[in-house]
Amino acid sequence: MEGVGEEEMEGVDHLAHERNKSEFDVDAMKIVWAGSPHAFDVSDRISKLVASDPGFRKDNRSTLSRKELFKNTLRKAAYAWKTIVDLRLSEEEAAKLRFYVDEPAFTDLHWGMFIPAIKGQGTEEQQQKWLPLAYKMQIIGCYAQTELGHGSNVQGLETTATFDSQTDEFIIHSPTLTSSKWWPGGLGKVATHAIAYARLIVGGREHGVHGFIVQLRSLEDHSPLLGITVGDIGMKFGNGAYNTMDNGVLQFDHVRIPRNQMLMRVSQVTCEGKYKQSDVPRQLVYGTMVYVRQTIVADASCALSRAVCIATRYSAVRRQFGSQNGGPETQVIDYKTQQSRLFPLLASAYAFRFIGEWLKWLYADVTQRLQANDFSTLPEAHACTAGLKSLTTTATADGIEECRKLCGGHGYLCSSGLPELFAVYVPACTYEGDNTVLLLQVARFLMKTVSQLGSRLSSKKPVGTIAYMTRVEHLMQCRCGVQRGFAELSADLVEAAVAHCQLIVVSKFIEKLQQEIPGKGVKQQLEVLCNIYALFLLHKHQGDFLSTGCITPKHAALANDELRSLYSQVRPNAIALVDAFNYTDHYLGSILGCYDGNVYPKLYEAAWKDPLNESVVPDGYHLYIRPLLKQEIRTARL
Amino acid sequence: MEGVGEEEMEGVDHLAHERNKSEFDVDAMKIVWAGSPHAFDVSDRISKLVASDPGFRKDNRSTLSRKELFKNTLRKAAYAWKTIVDLRLSEEEAAKLRFYVDEPAFTDLHWGMFIPAIKGQGTEEQQQKWLPLAYKMQIIGCYAQTELGHGSNVQGLETTATFDSQTDEFIIHSPTLTSSKWWPGGLGKVATHAIAYARLIVGGREHGVHGFIVQLRSLEDHSPLLGITVGDIGMKFGNGAYNTMDNGVLQFDHVRIPRNQMLMRVSQVTCEGKYKQSDVPRQLVYGTMVYVRQTIVADASCALSRAVCIATRYSAVRRQFGSQNGGPETQVIDYKTQQSRLFPLLASAYAFRFIGEWLKWLYADVTQRLQANDFSTLPEAHACTAGLKSLTTTATADGIEECRKLCGGHGYLCSSGLPELFAVYVPACTYEGDNTVLLLQVARFLMKTVSQLGSRLSSKKPVGTIAYMTRVEHLMQCRCGVQRGFAELSADLVEAAVAHCQLIVVSKFIEKLQQEIPGKGVKQQLEVLCNIYALFLLHKHQGDFLSTGCITPKHAALANDELRSLYSQVRPNAIALVDAFNYTDHYLGSILGCYDGNVYPKLYEAAWKDPLNESVVPDGYHLYIRPLLKQEIRTARL
């Protein structure tokens, strides 16, 4: 299970016959998948570095107790940092290393939320004070926003930050049980500091929710500071999965912090107790959201492609039924039922990769415009990333579980890697915006856009991913009805929002194919995948297309025929298309998905490592099994 | 979290206002759900017995290591047996007790597969010898069918049973690695005996796969017998879940068993080495499959209703957004997006309950007919149970995960009960027939039926759930095309099989409503749920209805409007409709779903019980956190 993939794999390649079948240049496709030769090089180098270092092994995760598991994660995080320091890795390389270590840890929040929050919401002065400490990990930060009673509705948070002008301090307080901070990663056991969000109260007046830098633990002995009650919120879905993370609970009992620990880039409280806005545009916050959600979309393509790689390779190894004259049985990947479930997910993995790439461009574009005080594309970019976050994470979570089922019974074993991948992935459907809530935001944005189409007062023209609306005259007629009953029709509006996002993914995939793409047969393969993705969606949602008269039943049937023919075209290239992800066996973490396809001996060997197999006769035999067999149950001590 | 539900709950009922809203007689609905006053009585009594006995507590499962978890399950299984013996429970009560103990264990296979296999496939003599031992648990049995390389394709099993006429024995042998028995529950660490399936070879000739009773372990010291290699196959999906079960691996090295340990009810091997069929019809095997799959359908309604109960209660407790003038926020159950996802699942839980009830009748009917040598309904009954097993387990697995998502972030905590419920449930989609393979069987049966419709040679008339086919003349025209390309079109045929099964569920729900159902408002509520179930399916599959011209877009829109109005009708009754399942808090195993709705204090309290909270400063601080903070990472020993 552990190893560095093709280079160091010894012995027979059981999938060689599959690799020989492929009709395109896999190495060229690896560059396309990675995004650039440079990105490929960094990924390739760092992933092999991690895979070959026993300090990063992860195949023992599922049998560790919570405490052992957590301690092991602390070790790995420190070891990763040591590696980064020792090897003088660049920021890009360091980020890749954390990615390939592939274990949720407090460092994710430190680097991914704490530091960006200070960068985005802190003043120059605050950045100069806190960032160097954070960059060197002299302090470890977390991001304490959600509470026991509030997640999606950030404006409903109950924690208070009351300004005391006498001491020039804020008093951070948790007035109720439901105001306990709840979920922040890294908070439970590790973080020394938090960005805590609280309702700002100055001179008895409320000014909404703001962020504050609060020290939680002593930097000397790690004990919680006065007024701080902090702990872990307990076990979560899966064996290892997010149980390596100390998602935390936190209560403040009138905790005092200096005034200059409120993040003051956008609004300030003066020492006289005056609340004022700075001239920095509030819209900057949306820029950060675009950034975070764009990374989530990129992660979706990683997680889905990983599951697809496992399921595809195993589908080529596994044989069942169809033996003729004592010959080998049929590879399950040759069954149309398997193909019709697996290949749309393969196509989705590529589609999400390219939409992630495009979102990276979008974020850069938005940032540039913000710097030039151009906010015109921000609402569209915000809606677009919200919708794509929702679409890709839902499809990925469902897709991983579908891949697990496509591996039959053996997919249920932890050694398949898929249960853990699912459990560790699904929170993405909830964090950084619940997927349904996000789709409602998209729907609201779409309705607003539609309602302004006919208005002469509005000079706004739909831009970017909603530009098509100007061309659709009849949308204007929908206006009134929809505005009347938004809440009533919200379930249907969510479906409309999904359709809008699917349109974006399909069109960006098509745009990608209009670029030049080098490598023998590479573009052809991507065209097949693009068509599969589009036609699969059409098939899945044919009701919408039919009921709106966009297609006829005849079209729907033709699309279905075409889909089947596309599956046949993908089939010989399937293994090569997942090889192009360039994942090491270490990163995949799956016996079913190992590069050489030597599944059964590895499964058999792994089984014996379970703690239950340490003794032939199990612990508990004398107390609980023997009394049954010997008919001594009535007198047994249980 | 632990407790016996409403009766012994102290303090405030936070859902009282919801319960007061309901418009029907909940107690009468409880009887409908249970199936009869007697069934309700037994369930109610036994579930409370289990809930009130600390010997059966289960709230600590997720933090136990594999070995502790397994040992605890052994204890519980012994304790359950002691309780059954001490209280002289009836067979019905004993089965209910095992059900409410709610933890997969070796006893499931002993009672659910080993004993039924001997009853169904053993001769009178064999039954007289083995059943008394098994009933008293003097031996513990498992069911060793699947192998590392073979699951669905039973005829492809590789284990051999070669008759040796010299010694009047069979030699059971695993000729390859892939022939290792793999997955059988109870095999790994507990079972003393197995029904092992193997290819029968007599005088050099193969006679297909047969069952054999093989002793695995010494009854004195539990050590594996000569030639037996046996162990556990390792960790599976989820924290507790099926890790309480010792799914096993088993290799036979020329293990000899007496000839009379082949199960010989249907076919025999004589001491002279003659293989012959008895006059017992082979179709009996199908009767057993109908039985097992019928219980799986019944279990589906239990698992789904449990998840729905949790999600519904929590949706009434949880509030988010929509506060006006500082008043309370909106209960999330009032959002249409929540209703449109939750209420179809509530309706499905009831639908599956009634289809399970009907399948029980069908099994009784088939059994009676078999005894009278009437095999006419068997193919239809077999296809019908196969399809319904597939339909209900897929919908239930997806439904549990949907319920988890409907609980937002907190649904990801083990204390919500939902991660474990999902992980422990999903194998139902794979065992006893992979759901896709089963649907292909249904599709094949449907195509065969259709192809015979027009045939003058065939005297067979479609019966039971396929009787509608005789009325559909145009189906006859589809015949040729479909027969030509079954494999090619299999993905579409699977969709057709699903539609057929959905029709069965809907029609049996409607039939149920044609019976007299006592209790104020009970029937009305069921009618609303039935309509939701049917219209939800129509909405979900509107593409099929539209493309075949069964409905117009106008109809589809009307159906959707009606669905929304039905959701509003269910809303005030939602809590009472899940109360009618009569589940104890112990059985639900969910803080989010507790009867009194007092969610937040219980979540807060439960968090502190995590092992990580045993110390304020975590294990590993000095080794792995402090070196970071103190900038001593380069010299740290990691």
Side-chain angles (χ1 to χ4, degrees), chain B residues 10-22:
Chain B
E10 288 172 57
V12 182
D13 177 1
H14 293 257
L15 290 170
H17 62 291
E18 287 290 340
R19 298 196 163 99
N20 292 336
K21 272 187 215 171
S22 82

Side-chain angles (χ1 to χ4, degrees), chain A residues 148 177 182, chain B residues 1-2 9-10 12 14 415 585 590-609:
Chain A
L148 190 48
L177 180 80
W182 191 269
Chain B
M1 186 164 162
E2 302 287 314
M9 272 290 162
E10 288 172 57
V12 182
H14 293 257
S415 55
D585 282 355
S590 167
I591 288 177
L592 303 188
C594 58
Y595 182 85
D596 68 0
N598 194 21
V599 167
Y600 295 122
K602 289 179 186 176
L603 271 178
Y604 190 82
E605 210 180 294
W608 299 104
K609 293 183 187 153

Side-chain angles (χ1 to χ4, degrees), chain B residues 358-526:
Chain B
W358 175 74
L359 278 181
K360 219 177 278 178
W361 169 85
L362 185 75
Y363 173 66
D365 182 65
V366 164
T367 310
Q368 223 169 33
R369 286 170 189 268
L370 284 179
Q371 280 159 359
N373 271 321
D374 168 7
F375 306 118
S376 61
T377 64
L378 199 55
E380 184 256 326
H382 178 248
C384 171
T385 39
L388 290 172
K389 183 270 178 185
S390 175
L391 179 82
T392 57
T393 56
T394 296
T396 296
D398 295 348
I400 294 169
E401 174 60 7
E402 184 77 354
C403 285
R404 196 188 62 71
K405 286 188 181 147
L406 286 167
C407 293
H410 300 346
Y412 189 64
L413 283 170
C414 286
S415 55
S416 78
L418 292 164
E420 282 298 277
L421 187 55
F422 180 74
V424 86
Y425 188 76
V426 285
C429 297
T430 312
Y431 62 56
E432 289 303 310
D434 173 271
N435 279 356
T436 303
V437 174
L438 290 181
L439 288 175
L440 282 168
Q441 287 177 11
V442 176
R444 211 165 280 125
F445 170 72
L446 294 176
M447 291 308 113
K448 193 175 164 192
T449 306
V450 171
S451 73
Q452 288 173 345
L453 279 181
S455 162
R456 294 184 188 186
L457 294 169
S458 167
S459 59
K460 286 186 192 163
K461 270 193 84 170
V463 293
T465 56
I466 47 164
Y468 70 89
M469 288 197 171
T470 51
R471 301 194 305 270
V472 186
E473 286 302 312
H474 75 265
L475 273 177
M476 291 160 60
Q477 296 157 17
C478 313
R479 195 175 15 153
C480 308
V482 171
Q483 280 195 318
R484 263 208 306 272
F486 189 91
E488 192 57 30
L489 295 170
S490 54
D492 304 84
L493 288 166
V494 160
E495 290 183 28
V498 169
H500 171 72
C501 297
Q502 285 167 341
L503 175 67
I504 300 175
V505 179
V506 171
S507 17
K508 297 304 163 188
F509 202 153
I510 294 171
E511 273 179 28
K512 172 84 191 175
L513 294 176
Q514 283 158 355
Q515 298 168 18
E516 203 176 321
I517 301 175
K520 180 197 153 231
V522 169
K523 197 175 205 167
Q524 287 85 328
Q525 289 306 317
L526 293 175

Side-chain angles (χ1 to χ4, degrees), chain A residues 234-523:
Chain A
M235 289 293 283
K236 290 145 289 187
F237 203 165
N239 311 67
Y242 257 93
N243 293 309
T244 57
M245 180 73 89
D246 53 332
N247 295 92
V249 47
L250 166 64
Q251 280 227 318
F252 298 104
D253 182 6
H254 299 92
V255 172
R256 289 178 168 266
I257 58 168
R259 181 173 55 86
N260 66 7
Q261 287 179 211
M262 168 174 153
L263 292 173
M264 298 223 201
R265 187 171 180 199
V266 174
S267 32
Q268 284 116 33
V269 173
T270 67
C271 57
E272 300 87 20
K274 260 185 76 180
Y275 176 79
K276 56 177 194 177
Q277 303 287 329
S278 76
D279 51 3
V280 175
R282 303 206 73 134
Q283 285 94 332
L284 276 181
V285 182
Y286 290 101
T288 311
M289 283 166 93
V290 170
Y291 172 75
V292 173
R293 287 175 186 163
Q294 161 250 310
T295 63
I296 294 177
V297 173
D299 287 346
S301 78
C302 293
L304 182 56
S305 58
R306 200 166 149 180
V308 166
C309 180
I310 296 167
T312 303
R313 286 180 181 164
Y314 181 61
S315 296
V317 171
R318 182 74 171 175
R319 294 170 177 274
Q320 205 80 179
F321 294 111
S323 163
Q324 286 178 341
N325 308 320
E329 293 170 282
T330 306
Q331 291 167 281
V332 301
I333 199 174
D334 282 324
Y335 289 103
K336 291 289 161 186
T337 44
Q338 193 85 352
Q339 294 179 4
S340 69
R341 295 160 70 196
L342 181 59
F343 292 163
L345 296 174
L346 175 62
S348 302
Y350 275 91
F352 295 171
R353 189 73 179 182
F354 299 140
I355 199 73
E357 218 171 60
W358 175 75
L359 278 180
K360 219 177 275 178
W361 169 86
L362 185 75
Y363 173 65
D365 182 66
V366 164
T367 309
Q368 223 170 33
R369 286 171 190 267
L370 285 179
Q371 279 160 359
N373 270 321
D374 168 7
F375 306 119
S376 62
T377 63
L378 198 55
E380 184 255 325
H382 179 249
C384 171
T385 39
L388 290 172
K389 184 269 179 184
S390 174
L391 180 81
T392 57
T393 56
T394 295
T396 296
D398 294 349
I400 295 169
E401 173 61 7
E402 183 77 352
C403 285
R404 198 189 60 70
K405 286 187 184 150
L406 285 168
C407 294
H410 300 347
Y412 188 64
L413 284 170
C414 285
S415 54
S416 79
L418 292 164
E420 284 297 277
L421 187 56
F422 181 74
V424 87
Y425 188 76
V426 286
C429 297
T430 312
Y431 62 56
E432 289 303 309
D434 173 273
N435 279 355
T436 303
V437 174
L438 290 181
L439 288 175
L440 283 169
Q441 288 176 11
V442 176
R444 212 166 278 125
F445 170 72
L446 294 177
M447 291 307 114
K448 194 174 163 194
T449 305
V450 171
S451 73
Q452 288 172 346
L453 278 182
S455 161
R456 293 181 191 190
L457 295 167
S458 166
S459 60
K460 286 187 193 163
K461 268 193 84 171
V463 293
T465 56
I466 47 164
Y468 70 88
M469 288 195 171
T470 50
R471 301 194 305 269
V472 185
E473 286 302 313
H474 74 262
L475 273 177
M476 291 160 59
Q477 299 157 13
C478 314
R479 197 173 13 155
C480 307
V482 171
Q483 280 196 319
R484 263 206 308 269
F486 190 91
E488 190 59 30
L489 294 171
S490 55
D492 303 85
L493 288 165
V494 160
E495 290 183 27
V498 168
H500 171 72
C501 297
Q502 285 167 342
L503 175 67
I504 300 175
V505 179
V506 171
S507 20
K508 296 304 164 190
F509 203 155
I510 293 171
E511 273 179 27
K512 172 84 190 175
L513 294 177
Q514 283 158 354
Q515 298 169 17
E516 203 177 317
I517 301 176
K520 179 197 153 230
V522 169
K523 196 175 206 169

Side-chain angles (χ1 to χ4, degrees), chain A residues 62-63 66-67 70 74-75 78-79 81-82 85 136-138 148-153 177-178 180 182-183 189 219-222 224 231-232 234-239 242-243 249 251 318 320-321 329 336-337 340-341 398 401 404-405 409-410 412 414 419 422-423 426-427 430 436 487-492 495 539 543 546-547 553 560 564 600-601 603-604 607-608 610 612-619 621 624 626 628-631 633-634 638, chain B residues 62-63 66-67 70 74-75 78-79 81-82 85 136-138 148-153 177-178 180 182-183 189 219-222 224 231-232 234-239 242-243 249 251 318 320-321 329 336-337 340-341 398 401 404-405 409-410 412 414 419 422-423 426-427 430 436 487-492 495 539 543 546-547 553 560 564 600-601 603-604 607-608 610 612-616 618-619 621 624 626 628-631 633-634 638:
Chain A
S62 66
T63 53
R66 180 83 205 278
K67 276 170 97 164
F70 183 69
L74 294 181
R75 183 192 58 74
Y79 188 66
W81 184 238
K82 184 178 162 68
V85 172
K136 284 190 258 169
M137 298 200 86
Q138 288 179 281
L148 190 48
H150 283 95
S152 296
N153 183 13
L177 180 80
T178 48
S180 309
W182 191 269
W183 276 117
K189 292 285 149 186
L219 291 173
E220 282 316 307
D221 64 7
H222 211 61
D232 184 274
M235 289 293 283
K236 290 145 289 187
F237 203 165
N239 311 67
Y242 257 93
N243 293 309
V249 47
Q251 280 227 318
R318 182 74 171 175
Q320 205 80 179
F321 294 111
E329 293 170 282
K336 291 289 161 186
T337 44
S340 69
R341 295 160 70 196
D398 294 349
E401 173 61 7
R404 198 189 60 70
K405 286 187 184 150
H410 300 347
Y412 188 64
C414 285
F422 181 74
V426 286
T430 312
T436 303
E488 190 59 30
L489 294 171
S490 55
D492 303 85
E495 290 183 27
H539 179 64
L546 287 165
S547 63
N560 211 17
R564 272 195 299 272
Y600 295 121
L603 272 177
Y604 189 81
W608 299 103
D610 192 273
L612 275 192
N613 290 327
E614 284 165 14
S615 62
V616 178
V617 174
D619 257 23
Y621 162 70
Y624 309 128
R626 197 178 158 85
L628 294 177
L629 296 169
K630 293 296 177 190
Q631 308 294 295
I633 194 72
R634 279 170 168 275
L638 304 176
Chain B
S62 67
T63 55
R66 179 82 206 277
K67 275 170 97 164
F70 183 68
L74 293 181
R75 183 193 58 74
Y79 189 66
W81 184 238
K82 185 177 160 70
V85 172
K136 283 190 257 168
M137 298 198 87
Q138 289 179 280
L148 190 48
H150 283 96
S152 295
N153 182 12
L177 180 81
T178 49
S180 309
W182 192 269
W183 277 117
K189 292 286 150 186
L219 291 171
E220 281 317 306
D221 63 8
H222 211 62
D232 184 274
M235 288 293 283
K236 290 145 287 184
F237 204 164
N239 310 67
Y242 256 94
N243 293 309
V249 47
Q251 279 227 320
R318 182 74 171 176
Q320 205 79 178
F321 294 111
E329 293 169 283
K336 291 289 162 186
T337 45
S340 70
R341 294 160 69 196
D398 295 348
E401 174 60 7
R404 196 188 62 71
K405 286 188 181 147
H410 300 346
Y412 189 64
C414 286
F422 180 74
V426 285
T430 312
T436 303
E488 192 57 30
L489 295 170
S490 54
D492 304 84
E495 290 183 28
H539 179 65
L546 287 165
S547 63
N560 211 17
R564 273 194 300 273
Y600 295 122
L603 271 178
Y604 190 82
W608 299 104
D610 191 272
L612 275 191
N613 289 327
E614 283 165 15
S615 61
V616 178
D619 256 23
Y621 162 70
Y624 309 128
R626 196 177 160 86
L628 295 177
L629 298 169
K630 294 296 178 188
Q631 307 294 292
I633 194 72
R634 278 168 167 276
L638 304 175

Side-chain angles (χ1 to χ4, degrees), chain B residues 162-163 169-172 200 212 255-259 262 269:
Chain B
T162 310
F163 182 62
E169 289 172 324
F170 290 106
I171 305 163
I172 313 287
L200 173 63
F212 300 84
V255 172
R256 290 182 167 263
I257 57 166
R259 182 173 56 86
M262 169 175 153
V269 173

